[in-house]
Amino acid sequence: RRGCDEFDGIVVNQILCAINFSPQWSMEVVEMANELKNDFPCAVVGVDVAAGEDHFKPNSAMHHGHLKMCQRAKELGLNITIHAGETPGSEEHVYQAIHQYGAKRIGHGYQLVNQPDVLQRIQRDHADVHFEICPTSSVETGAWSESEKWENHPACKLHEAGLQMTVSSDDPAVFDTSLTAQYRIAMKEMGWSRDDVQQSLEQGINAAFLSNDEKVKLRRIIIDGSHSSCDK
């Protein structure tokens, strides 16, 4: 909050995460998110489920608690983003996150490329859903092997399929990286052009959990600034 006050143009909002293996906390998470959704600066603008995907299994002990949290979030008008389709064998989780949990943003989603029918279903019925791709963490978590060429990364295939996406840093401290480093990988290793980066930035702003007025301001700062910095 002090940073928002002291540095003009800095806006920080929060997303509260429920934890895959602790569904007993989920309802507390969503109720806390609701209490703090108008507590600007640093208000809570949405909820997430992270730290694993076991909760997608309908017969798992984790499923009901997290699904109920997301249903409650929709009732309260809270935004929903879900980690899904990150590691091998989780292809169907992306569609579940969107269709069952009500997610408007997906963290990772790489395994979607292994199930073309699900990918086509999302292209057809959920083209507004946004994907957050994180190159470095995809290697560290085993979602993708760096022994392959970066241009074969599943994010490239999702991009070619026309899905909306941004390049993200995941957890910069844990993965010893930065957003700048991730865009550098996208441009120098994955073959993204300046136009690709520009499109990604615009799609990220459109998918941000912000008011329309805030998006206009952010677009002015980021898109205008990118013209002079993308090639560095």
Side-chain angles (χ1 to χ4, degrees), residues 12-185:
V12 178
N13 292 326
Q14 303 179 77
I15 294 171
L16 296 189
C17 275
I19 302 301
N20 171 59
F21 50 81
S22 296
Q24 69 273 18
W25 299 342
S26 293
M27 291 308 292
E28 292 181 43
V29 168
V30 72
E31 295 302 338
M32 184 185 300
N34 187 52
E35 289 174 15
L36 299 173
K37 66 182 179 182
N38 295 312
D39 189 23
F40 296 98
C42 300
V44 174
V45 295
V47 295
D48 189 359
V49 183
E53 301 185 36
D54 300 303
H55 63 91
F56 284 110
K57 299 173 184 174
N59 58 350
S60 77
M62 306 169 195
H63 180 70
H64 179 70
H66 294 307
L67 181 59
K68 187 176 178 182
M69 179 195 77
C70 291
Q71 290 170 339
R72 178 62 174 155
K74 284 188 280 187
E75 291 173 1
L76 295 170
L78 290 165
N79 297 296
I80 301 169
T81 178
I82 302 285
H83 285 59
E86 182 175 7
T87 53
S90 59
E91 297 89 349
E92 280 285 355
H93 297 169
V94 177
Y95 191 76
Q96 278 184 268
I98 297 168
H99 187 66
Q100 270 191 310
Y101 288 56
K104 293 299 183 183
R105 287 178 8 198
I106 297 292
H108 309 294
Y110 314 119
Q111 304 308 316
L112 197 56
V113 299
N114 298 322
Q115 204 155 27
D117 59 324
V118 179
L119 175 57
Q120 290 172 5
R121 203 186 318 164
I122 291 172
Q123 287 174 303
R124 183 187 67 237
D125 301 333
H126 303 283
D128 59 333
V129 171
H130 189 85
F131 288 75
E132 304 155 0
I133 65 128
C134 311
T136 294
S137 78
S138 73
V139 176
E140 299 294 334
T141 62
W144 179 74
S145 172
E146 199 177 11
S147 61
E148 299 183 52
K149 294 181 178 180
W150 276 107
E151 57 262 35
N152 294 328
H153 192 283
C156 296
K157 296 176 182 177
L158 296 177
H159 181 63
E160 290 168 5
L163 297 187
Q164 295 189 41
M165 64 175 58
T166 42
V167 176
S168 303
S169 58
D170 206 315
D171 190 321
V174 170
F175 298 110
D176 189 24
T177 190
S178 66
L179 186 57
T180 300
Q182 299 308 286
Y183 269 108
R184 189 174 292 118
I185 290 173

